[in-house]
């Protein structure tokens, strides 16, 4: 197997961590440590548990982490694909609230893994400070070049990302899309976007070769379901798109440097596509996501 390392911790940081761990052990056994220190916390976002990719297909491993209220205390974002036996470092990609009313900021991170051997990989993560290793996350399993367990039912499933976005106003008519595959048979009932107030004038579903499968005008603030749902099958590529008639849209850059597995969707590298006008979108720019997704049911 091979690792595509996006960031490597320094030797000095590793030495500081080792010294801190050793000191903690001394304190515990000397009876001077009265309470265990809360460790930095980490969690995985992608790939989905029991996801599947081919041998040699680069896949995005992503997640978030926090320590106290300030995510900037974190210095290293580590991933293991062998259950924690070995570790490599990813790259921080942004900071967002943890959720709810906690007031905690979490650091987002990504790591690109390219498996070279078939098998079942156990993925875990941890985030670290300069002196403290974080708690290991709950594991997720990735099947590479071997059959994965049969997926269950999915109702009203759409693709989403935690990555920060910004709004673009080009004032040019543009078709913005998302390339995708599915991991189970089902139907696409509609195409959804993050836009409202009639920024999207049409939504469409295409086969990957440019064949138009569904086309519907948007007459309100949100796209309505297709009159006839469109069957989709594993192994076939599709594109869900919408027409931004004024060129106003939401965008997240560097979302698809490699395959993103978020069940029931498998999004290939450079999944975000566009074209000016309203034809089949096939151009890419900065691996961007334009906040459009199919809504899938199985």
């Amino acid at each position: 197997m091979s690792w595509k390392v996006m960031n490597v911790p320094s030797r000095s940081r590793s030495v500081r961590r080792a010294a801190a761990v050793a000191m903690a052990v001394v304190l515990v056994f000397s009876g001077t440590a009265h309470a265990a220190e809360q460790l930095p916390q980490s969690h995985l976002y992608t790939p989905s548990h029991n996801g599947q990719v081919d041998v040699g297909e680069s896949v995005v491993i992503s997640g978030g982490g926090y320590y106290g209220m300030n995510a900037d205390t974190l210095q290293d974002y580590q991933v293991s694909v062998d259950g924690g036996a070995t570790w490599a470092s990813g790259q921080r990609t942004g900071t967002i609230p943890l959720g709810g009313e906690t007031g905690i900021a979490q650091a987002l991170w990504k790591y690109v893994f390219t498996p070279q051997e078939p098998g079942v990989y156990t993925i875990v993560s941890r985030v670290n400070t300069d002196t403290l290793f974080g708690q290991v996350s709950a594991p997720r399993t990735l099947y590479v070049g071997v059959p994965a367990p049969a997926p269950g039912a999915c109702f009203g499933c759409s693709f989403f990302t935690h990555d920060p976005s910004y709004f673009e106003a080009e004032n040019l008519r543009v078709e913005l899309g998302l390339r995708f595959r599915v991991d189970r048979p089902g139907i696409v009932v509609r195409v959804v976007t993050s836009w409202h107030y009639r920024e999207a004038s049409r939504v469409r579903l295409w086969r990957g070769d440019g064949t138009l499968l569904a086309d519907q005008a948007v007459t309100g603030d949100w796209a309505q379901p297709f009159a006839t749902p469109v069957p989709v099958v594993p192994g076939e590529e599709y594109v869900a798109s919408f027409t931004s008639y004024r060129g106003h849209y939401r965008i997240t850059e560097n979302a698809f440097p490699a395959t993103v597995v978020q069940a029931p969707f498998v999004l290939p590298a450079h999944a975000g596509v566009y074209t000016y006008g309203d034809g089949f979108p096939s151009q890419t720019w900065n691996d961007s996501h334009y906040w459009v997704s199919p809504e899938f049911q199985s």
Side-chain angles (χ1 to χ4, degrees):
M1 69 183 68
S2 71
W3 295 78
K4 181 177 179 182
V5 180
M6 302 173 73
N7 183 31
V8 179
S10 67
R11 179 176 177 83
S12 61
R13 183 184 301 156
S14 299
V15 170
R16 289 196 299 271
R17 287 196 188 121
V21 171
M23 180 59 71
V25 171
V26 170
L27 290 173
V28 168
F29 282 95
S30 66
T32 58
H34 301 290
E37 184 174 5
Q38 178 67 40
L39 298 175
Q41 301 294 302
S42 178
H43 45 269
L44 293 165
Y45 286 135
T46 64
S48 298
H49 186 57
N50 291 340
Q52 186 175 33
V53 295
D54 294 329
V55 174
E57 182 177 7
S58 296
V59 60
V60 173
I61 301 174
S62 68
Y66 59 94
Y67 182 54
M69 304 296 287
N70 184 0
D72 289 337
T73 58
L74 300 175
Q75 299 296 321
D76 193 17
Y77 315 89
Q78 291 190 311
V79 171
S80 173
V81 297
D82 51 18
T86 61
W87 296 88
S89 293
Q91 183 179 49
R92 184 165 171 173
T93 59
T95 304
I96 62 171
L98 181 62
E101 298 180 357
T102 64
I104 296 174
Q106 66 165 324
L108 300 177
W109 52 264
K110 278 190 175 74
Y111 178 83
V112 175
F113 169 55
T114 306
Q116 299 296 339
E117 300 174 6
V120 181
Y121 293 77
T122 300
I123 300 173
V124 291
S125 67
R126 66 185 180 191
V127 293
N128 312 313
T129 68
D130 271 345
T131 58
L132 191 63
F133 284 107
Q135 182 171 320
V136 176
S137 72
R140 292 195 178 178
T141 302
L142 180 68
Y143 289 77
V144 177
V146 296
C154 186
F155 182 82
C157 297
S158 299
F159 173 73
F160 63 93
T161 179
H162 297 274
D163 291 336
S165 65
Y166 64 93
F167 292 94
E168 185 67 78
E170 293 191 78
N171 298 316
L172 294 170
R173 186 183 183 95
V174 61
E175 191 79 10
L176 301 153
L178 180 71
R179 298 166 54 214
F180 70 96
R181 305 191 303 270
V182 293
D183 64 4
R184 68 202 78 180
I187 56 175
V188 171
V189 296
R190 65 173 176 166
V191 171
V192 295
T193 80
S194 67
W195 273 103
H196 51 87
Y197 303 117
R198 307 188 183 186
E199 292 292 345
S201 57
R202 304 197 73 83
V203 292
R204 296 181 170 98
L205 183 69
W206 317 73
R207 194 176 289 120
D209 61 5
T211 303
L212 186 61
L213 302 175
D215 182 6
Q216 180 171 286
V218 179
T219 57
D221 291 343
W222 306 100
Q224 297 301 308
F226 294 129
T228 303
V230 181
V232 291
V233 296
E236 185 78 51
E237 185 171 289
Y238 303 91
V239 176
S241 71
F242 74 100
T243 307
S244 177
Y245 72 102
R246 295 196 305 172
H248 293 191
Y249 55 88
R250 187 178 178 187
I251 179 173
T252 294
E253 296 181 41
N254 302 311
F256 305 115
T259 297
V260 174
V261 179
Q262 186 187 99
F265 305 110
V266 180
L267 311 173
H270 325 303
V273 288
Y274 73 94
T275 189
Y276 289 104
D278 59 358
F280 177 62
S282 59
Q283 298 174 268
T284 63
W285 185 78
N286 278 9
D287 295 328
S288 296
H289 175 42
Y290 301 108
W291 292 80
V292 54
S293 172
E295 186 175 296
F296 175 88
Q297 293 183 13
S298 62

